[in-house]
Amino acid sequence: MAAYYVDYENVRSSGLTGLETLTGEDTVFLLYSEKADSLHFQDVQRILATEADLHFIKADVGTPNALDFELVTLLVHNLNHRDDAQSYIISGDKGYRVAIRMAGRLGYQGIREVRTIAEGIADKVRREALESSAPETRGIPETPEAEEQHWEVLTEDFLQETSRQTQEGEPTAAEDTKSSRGQAGTQGASVSEPDSAARKQDEPAEEGNAASAEEKGQQEPSGESAVPVKDPLTKAVEKVQGISSRHYDAICAILRESSNKAEFYHKFTKQFGQQQGLDLYRKVKSHFNEWKKL
């Protein structure tokens, strides 16, 4: 569950990007005022398409920053009366960061300020991916600056991947997460009879396997004369500009152990450190989906 608090005075239409992709487990509190009380047609379409529990709240006017104060008050109230896993303030107003830092000191860790609902979804997907990954891949950057850079990189990746999947007709990360829950336990079916028959046809006759040990030895080159054959993944990594050969094996190993880009990124920063890991990740991240198929 996640709650999104939209400072509509600040973000207007752009802040609602991604509203249509929210699920019934999400809640949106859209705070508006007399200064900002109109919707574009595309926003009406988003509102009609969303499954989220949507609340419109008109802020009182008469004092500066009235909407900001009401949003923070509502957020604090809900933190004590709701069980949202994450809370997102949709705004570009940096003043909210002071309130978020104070909330963190008081024990409320699941609050972030983002510019659009889509960015909040990206952060939520990233956090869920880390929760489901191995404990050693859940490292947290040491400084607020590193954490901010870390979040921006993964958000950019999520939005690019979602855009690509939408254009190609593939399920997005959020949709894939929902569908995987419904499909849990349905995998692992046995091979159908036609497949089994096809495999039997492909199996060579026993007479073809009658070669003697001496004949096999003559056909296979000795260990001394054999030339090592590089696997396709290593060949692909070697083609990327700006990567040292001493990193090839590590990159291949990290890729094979990673199930998604979030985990891929965290393993890089864990092995090479925050800055070098980020530099290497940026050089290879565009190849992730392609390389996973090798």
Side-chain angles (χ1 to χ4, degrees), residues 120-137:
I121 297 172
D123 180 78
K124 183 171 177 287
V125 170
R126 188 257 304 182
R127 290 173 185 269
E128 290 176 348
L130 294 181
E131 286 297 323
S132 62
S133 63
E136 62 270 14
T137 67

Side-chain angles (χ1 to χ4, degrees), residues 183-200:
Q183 295 173 357
T186 62
Q187 299 179 353
S190 60
V191 179
S192 62
E193 293 183 3
D195 290 340
S196 300
R199 292 187 179 183
K200 290 180 179 180

Side-chain angles (χ1 to χ4, degrees), residues 33-229:
S33 68
E34 291 180 355
K35 298 178 182 178
D37 62 355
S38 60
L39 292 170
H40 291 290
F41 183 71
Q42 64 179 2
D43 297 327
V44 175
Q45 289 180 311
R46 288 168 174 161
I47 290 171
L48 294 175
T50 189
E51 297 179 7
D53 182 16
L54 187 56
H55 300 265
F56 293 92
I57 302 173
K58 186 174 182 178
D60 292 331
V61 295
T63 59
N65 303 315
L67 187 150
D68 302 358
F69 293 129
E70 290 195 22
L71 189 153
V72 171
T73 303
L74 175 63
L75 172 60
V76 172
H77 171 81
N78 287 343
L79 288 174
N80 291 315
H81 294 84
R82 294 170 54 92
D83 56 354
D84 300 308
Q86 301 293 330
S87 298
Y88 295 98
I89 299 176
I90 314 300
S91 178
D93 188 342
K94 296 181 180 179
Y96 287 114
R97 298 180 184 180
V98 178
I100 293 173
R101 285 197 294 269
M102 172 58 75
R105 290 196 291 270
L106 295 174
Y108 300 105
Q109 301 298 328
I111 311 172
R112 293 197 66 91
E113 180 188 4
V114 293
R115 292 159 294 190
T116 68
I117 289 176
E119 290 184 2
I121 297 172
D123 180 78
K124 183 171 177 287
V125 170
R126 188 257 304 182
R127 290 173 185 269
E128 290 176 348
L130 294 181
E131 286 297 323
S132 62
S133 63
E136 62 270 14
T137 67
R138 301 178 191 170
I140 300 175
E142 296 81 2
T143 64
E145 293 76 14
E147 166 65 14
E148 186 68 21
Q149 187 179 47
H150 153 94
W151 175 81
E152 289 177 354
V153 167
L154 291 180
T155 297
E156 177 187 358
D157 290 345
F158 172 82
L159 295 177
Q160 289 177 351
E161 182 68 10
T162 300
S163 176
R164 181 191 67 79
Q165 292 173 338
T166 301
Q167 293 173 2
E168 297 179 3
E170 299 178 12
T172 63
E175 291 170 343
D176 189 58
T177 300
K178 289 192 290 182
S179 64
S180 63
R181 292 174 184 170
Q183 295 173 357
T186 62
Q187 299 179 353
S190 60
V191 179
S192 62
E193 293 183 3
D195 290 340
S196 300
R199 292 187 179 183
K200 290 180 179 180
Q201 291 177 1
D202 291 338
E203 293 178 359
E206 293 184 2
E207 295 179 358
N209 294 330
S212 63
E214 291 79 3
E215 291 174 336
K216 290 182 180 179
Q218 293 174 359
Q219 294 171 0
E220 298 177 358
S222 63
E224 296 179 355
S225 61
V227 178
V229 179

